[in-house]
Amino acid sequence: MTETPKDPLIKLDKQCTLKDDFPVPTHEEWLSIVEPFLKGAPFEKKLCTPTYEGITLKPLYIRADRDDIPSDMYPGGDDGLRGNTAAAYAGKPWIVNQELPFALAEDFNKALLNDLQKGQTGVTLKLDTATRLGQDADYAKTEDVGDEGLSISGLRSLERALNGVELPAVEISLDGGFSALPFLALFKAYLDKKGVDPTALKGSVNQDPFAFLAGKGFLPVNTDTVFDEIAETITWLDGTMPGLKGLGISTLPYHDAGANVVQELAWMLSTLVEWINRLEERDITPERIVRHLRITLGVGPFFFMEIARFRAARLLVRRVLEAYGLKESARQITWHARPSRTNQTLYDPYVNILRTTTEAFSAILGGVDSLHTNTFHEMAVGEPSAFARRVARNIQIILREECHLDRLIDPAGGSYFVEALTRQVAEEAWSSFQKTEEQGGLMKALESGWIHNEISAVRKAREKDYRKRKQVLVGINMYADIKQKKLEAVPVDQKAIQKTRAEYLKAFRVSPGQKENQAVMMHLENLSRNKQTLETAVQAVSAGATLGEVSRSLRLSAGKGLSISPLLPYRAAEIFEHFRDMGWQAERTERGRPKIILVNMGPPKQHKIRSEFSRGFLEPGGFEILDTPAQSSPEEAARTAHESGAFAAVLCSTDESYPEIVPVFIKKLEDLNSPMKVIVAGRPRESMEMLEKAGVFRFLYLGADAVDMYEDLWKTAGGEDHA
């Protein structure tokens, strides 16, 4: 038997140690290797990235970047950085809490029963503006009826909305607006009629007058009345429905207006301070306030920043509560998240699914307790289709059932980048919070317009980057499919909704007999005298009073409300979608879309990169882009361009060749009496002045303002005639 030869590369007598074979370089050694590739450019400018939060991201993070974080930090620890519990989602996954913005109770009920059977685990009663204002649909403004959700004016409509729903089996979230007291009376009367034990319910009643004021621009009654009502609901919930939280903090109005992460967190803290200060005056202790809190945050597209958002939020809330002598109470706060609407698009709408997926992913890794995921056509359609709801819902189900994110416990914990970013976000947010408090608090900052100005500055910076394509909206300002059609807007017919609701209410009002009417009047009279407000309101609803009647009686002596400029929603794609719209309008005319021809000069290596860049730059503007084979001479290229029917030509070549070919090209166009505008792909700094004198219309380069370019080109093409 022959002996098997040993592999000479394997030395069994020497132990393999990665540390010896692959020594870890120091940061200085890494930097010395990188710097020559920068060719003299400053390291901070070339490799460091500033964010809208005022934070500069480094290209590399090392252990030293998290040295200030205690090494014994663990999930469920005191500061909440790594989550409120040690087990995270193990045994209790986040709640799939989808909003169903249907206006009519029957439609809402049909969608809810279907979705609960197919993976949704929470019930959100999203109400329209009229209901949140405490107005009956037939007396409200038409634009407020069915605008954002359910129209509920009486007990029967609530019965239709929740028909067949076993409330104790699911967590419920009630959209309370600026004060939920009138609607709570309606809800309790429903529970009494159906024999549902109110102590068995779990969930939240989300009343947030600060968010309502910021988003709508007004409070219908004075702030003293608002906070008196909220204080009463807190006390009443403690005794009647202890499983329901009664206070909300929502940063969505700020997020949807374009605020950055730091600003959102700062104004979250300012709202918390307002809650504590205002309710303490009404004998509601900070401990009770915290026990009732449900905080809703927006989620943006920057994956790691969003993970840091939720981790920093828990740190910051605990820091505020410690100032009030609280610590462990922070564990009781519920965290809800909603993906951004600012990056949703009407063109290439299925990309919205991908955007929402990454945002949901980051929110879950950040440790939220419940989550809504957007439907892909949310910005175009008032009431989502079954298909769109299924896709949105399944985003969460896949992340749970196939990605198994419910089995992870703070997977971002320990990451040098995430830990460092979390600390930076927290520090910047605390500084912004202090600035807000210097303005007199959140309410004063809203009234003065200071918050509006802060958001406006960030919004302008974002828009500038989108216009220059430093920030990308896939399918919109880059990688556009010009033949892709826009989502057809299907708004809710609010006149029809109000008419339907008015017919219900008319039938409801004439149905009670004399005895029932007298009972209603008695309860409403007692309510107007502030006698046991909530219980009296429940009795009035049970006797047949509508939401509007309860609200009017309740607020008969309420003082004048408050008005400010509302925070207007921002959607980055709108400025680009405008030009795509113009392109489609032009396509339906005899002339068709304005055409721009790419004139490629020289061999592919000379023009290919700039030609492809020019196409990608111009197509989002709604133009039809024509191409040419490589042209051998500028005279022949000019003739080809002239005969193409295009109104503009983009010369694609090298900076060195432009001084020679561009003047000849323009001269030949003049000889042909062509009005064609000439654009040069690139930014040949040494010859730009000469080329402009020769007749170049614009230069197309990386960092050029695309919107400015599109506007000029459409004017040149005869935009009004095309559109």
Side-chain angles (χ1 to χ4, degrees):
M1 184 175 179
T2 59
E3 185 176 342
T4 303
K6 295 181 179 180
D7 188 334
L9 296 178
I10 301 176
K11 297 181 179 180
L12 298 178
D13 58 335
K14 181 181 178 183
Q15 187 175 2
C16 179
T17 56
L18 291 176
K19 185 177 179 181
D20 294 336
D21 294 339
F22 301 95
V24 179
T26 65
H27 184 262
E28 289 70 24
E29 289 172 332
W30 173 82
L31 196 58
S32 67
I33 294 172
V34 169
E35 282 182 334
F37 291 95
L38 301 181
K39 298 179 180 179
F43 175 85
E44 292 75 13
K45 185 176 181 180
K46 196 75 173 177
L47 293 182
C48 294
T49 307
T51 72
Y52 299 112
E53 289 75 18
I55 295 169
T56 299
L57 304 178
K58 299 189 292 186
L60 178 69
Y61 286 81
I62 59 177
R63 183 183 295 273
D65 290 308
R66 52 151 292 172
D67 279 348
D68 61 333
I69 301 172
S71 58
D72 60 349
M73 195 168 291
Y74 56 90
D78 288 344
D79 67 354
L81 174 68
R82 304 196 62 191
N84 284 338
T85 65
Y89 297 124
K92 188 184 178 183
W94 69 91
I95 297 167
V96 181
N97 206 349
Q98 294 298 98
E99 297 173 5
L100 302 174
F102 289 89
L104 295 178
E106 299 87 347
D107 298 334
F108 173 85
N109 181 256
K110 181 181 178 181
L112 178 61
L113 293 178
N114 174 78
D115 294 3
L116 286 174
Q117 292 173 355
K118 296 177 180 177
Q120 185 165 322
T121 56
V123 174
T124 295
L125 281 180
K126 184 172 176 59
L127 305 175
D128 67 359
T129 298
T131 305
R132 284 179 288 160
L133 288 171
Q135 298 172 348
D136 290 339
D138 51 350
Y139 289 117
K141 295 177 181 177
T142 301
E143 61 266 26
D144 290 342
V145 179
D147 61 338
E148 296 175 0
L150 262 174
S151 173
I152 302 287
S153 301
L155 197 51
R156 292 182 184 178
S157 51
L158 190 55
E159 288 182 76
R160 292 194 300 274
L162 296 176
N163 182 39
V165 180
E166 296 294 328
L167 289 181
V170 292
E171 290 211 11
I172 187 165
S173 173
L174 301 180
D175 181 9
F178 68 91
S179 169
L181 195 152
F183 191 80
L184 265 178
L186 198 66
F187 185 64
K188 177 59 164 57
Y190 166 80
L191 297 178
D192 291 345
K193 185 174 182 179
K194 296 298 179 182
V196 177
D197 179 6
T199 64
L201 300 182
K202 305 181 294 296
S204 59
V205 179
N206 308 303
Q207 44 189 348
D208 183 353
F210 308 101
F212 189 92
L213 176 64
K216 294 293 181 181
F218 70 95
L219 290 175
V221 295
N222 65 21
T223 54
D224 284 340
T225 299
V226 170
F227 291 109
D228 287 344
E229 288 186 10
I230 291 172
E232 181 173 351
T233 62
I234 295 300
T235 301
W236 185 80
L237 284 171
D238 283 341
T240 309
M241 302 182 194
L244 293 185
K245 296 173 178 287
L247 297 174
I249 294 178
S250 175
T251 64
L252 294 181
Y254 316 114
H255 181 97
D256 290 341
N260 63 38
V261 171
V262 162
Q263 290 171 331
E264 282 187 65
L265 295 182
W267 298 329
M268 173 197 74
L269 296 181
S270 290
T271 308
L272 175 58
V273 170
E274 290 269 11
W275 273 132
I276 294 174
N277 292 344
R278 297 205 182 236
L279 292 183
E280 266 195 312
E281 296 172 355
R282 292 161 174 84
D283 299 322
I284 306 293
T285 64
E287 290 85 355
R288 291 173 67 194
I289 292 168
V290 173
R291 191 167 68 247
H292 277 276
L293 270 179
R294 179 188 192 248
I295 299 178
T296 300
L297 300 178
V299 193
F302 183 6
F303 184 74
F304 293 104
M305 182 68 76
E306 301 313 314
I307 297 173
R309 173 200 297 268
F310 293 98
R311 302 174 95 244
R314 292 191 294 270
L315 282 176
L316 291 164
V317 165
R318 278 169 167 77
R319 186 170 177 181
V320 168
L321 295 181
E322 285 177 2
Y324 284 94
L326 307 174
K327 189 175 182 181
E328 295 298 318
S329 300
R331 298 176 190 275
Q332 302 174 42
I333 294 174
T334 297
W335 297 88
H336 177 68
R338 194 188 200 288
S340 182
R341 293 179 177 181
T342 61
N343 61 354
Q344 298 284 284
T345 64
L346 297 179
Y347 283 99
D348 227 345
Y350 294 110
V351 178
N352 291 333
I353 299 171
L354 306 178
R355 295 185 179 102
T356 297
T357 299
T358 66
E359 290 161 1
F361 192 4
S362 58
I364 292 165
L365 295 191
V368 299
D369 298 297
S370 62
L371 177 64
H372 162 86
T373 35
N374 299 334
T375 58
F376 68 87
H377 61 13
E378 185 165 310
M379 302 314 299
V381 180
E383 297 184 344
S385 65
F387 170 70
R389 298 198 318 270
R390 176 179 173 80
V391 171
R393 186 174 62 249
N394 281 351
I395 289 173
Q396 297 193 53
I397 295 173
I398 287 173
L399 291 175
R400 186 185 70 214
E401 300 293 341
E402 297 188 23
C403 297
H404 306 299
L405 296 189
D406 60 333
R407 302 183 189 180
L408 303 177
I409 300 176
D410 187 31
S415 161
Y416 300 154
F417 177 32
V418 174
E419 297 288 13
L421 184 58
T422 298
R423 291 292 179 177
Q424 285 179 291
V425 168
E427 289 168 6
E428 292 295 328
W430 187 261
S431 176
S432 183
F433 160 63
Q434 290 176 317
K435 291 177 183 176
T436 307
E437 294 305 294
E438 289 171 4
Q439 300 297 315
L442 185 75
M443 193 73 86
K444 294 291 185 184
L446 283 169
E447 289 182 69
S448 68
W450 181 80
I451 283 179
H452 301 67
N453 293 335
E454 292 291 295
I455 293 177
S456 178
V458 176
R459 190 161 157 169
K460 286 177 181 176
R462 290 185 195 276
E463 185 168 314
K464 180 180 178 182
D465 286 346
Y466 280 118
R467 291 169 68 113
K468 294 193 171 188
R469 307 197 316 160
K470 291 180 180 179
Q471 288 290 327
V472 177
L473 277 172
V474 174
I476 302 299
N477 67 344
M478 285 186 74
Y479 313 114
D481 178 0
I482 194 172
K483 292 299 181 183
Q484 174 127 137
K485 292 188 177 179
K486 185 179 181 180
L487 273 176
E488 291 297 327
V490 187
V492 173
D493 186 345
Q494 290 178 268
K495 287 185 178 179
I497 294 292
Q498 188 173 38
K499 182 179 178 182
T500 301
R501 297 291 299 119
E503 289 171 356
Y504 275 128
L505 285 163
K506 182 179 178 181
F508 176 73
R509 288 193 176 101
V510 300
S511 60
Q514 182 66 22
K515 187 176 180 180
E516 287 83 357
N517 280 327
Q518 288 176 347
V520 170
M521 294 302 294
M522 180 190 71
H523 291 308
L524 292 177
E525 186 176 344
N526 287 337
L527 190 58
S528 66
R529 295 174 182 174
N530 293 321
K531 292 183 178 180
Q532 297 178 329
T533 307
L534 242 164
E535 285 304 324
T536 305
V538 173
Q539 293 167 12
V541 173
S542 298
T546 65
L547 179 71
E549 290 167 344
V550 167
S551 297
R552 283 195 300 273
S553 299
L554 177 69
R555 295 161 180 165
L556 204 59
S557 58
K560 187 178 179 181
L562 174 66
S563 294
I564 65 168
S565 296
L567 293 173
L568 300 177
Y570 166 69
R571 196 165 60 82
E574 286 182 301
I575 55 175
F576 291 93
E577 289 171 347
H578 165 69
F579 297 107
R580 296 281 285 277
D581 291 345
M582 291 177 68
W584 277 109
Q585 290 168 20
E587 188 162 305
R588 290 193 287 267
T589 67
E590 186 177 343
R591 292 176 60 186
R593 290 177 184 266
K595 297 178 179 62
I596 300 175
I597 188 168
L598 305 179
V599 180
N600 301 316
M601 301 297 299
K605 66 177 182 179
Q606 188 170 315
H607 65 75
K608 185 175 176 56
I609 292 177
R610 281 181 168 170
S611 180
E612 290 177 350
F613 170 80
S614 299
R615 175 179 290 276
F617 188 102
L618 293 168
E619 278 187 331
F623 307 105
E624 181 180 349
I625 308 301
L626 308 177
D627 214 337
T628 63
Q631 302 294 301
S632 57
S633 72
E635 293 91 348
E636 189 60 35
R639 183 174 287 105
T640 300
H642 174 64
E643 294 172 353
S644 70
F647 78 95
V650 182
L651 281 169
C652 303
S653 189
T654 62
D655 289 358
E656 293 76 19
S657 64
Y658 284 143
E660 180 181 345
I661 64 175
V662 172
V664 177
F665 180 86
I666 293 174
K667 179 65 170 60
K668 183 61 178 178
L669 287 178
E670 291 173 352
D671 293 343
L672 295 170
N673 294 318
S674 173
M676 180 174 286
K677 296 294 182 181
V678 176
I679 302 167
V680 168
R683 201 175 190 182
R685 296 183 185 278
E686 293 183 2
S687 59
M688 281 181 73
E689 187 176 348
M690 182 272 286
L691 295 175
E692 285 176 339
K693 289 179 179 178
V696 170
F697 176 63
R698 294 290 296 262
F699 293 89
L700 201 160
Y701 53 90
L702 190 67
D705 188 317
V707 172
D708 184 52
M709 177 79 78
Y710 302 155
E711 287 175 346
D712 277 358
L713 289 173
W714 272 101
K715 288 176 184 176
T716 302
E720 288 122 12
D721 295 336
H722 276 88

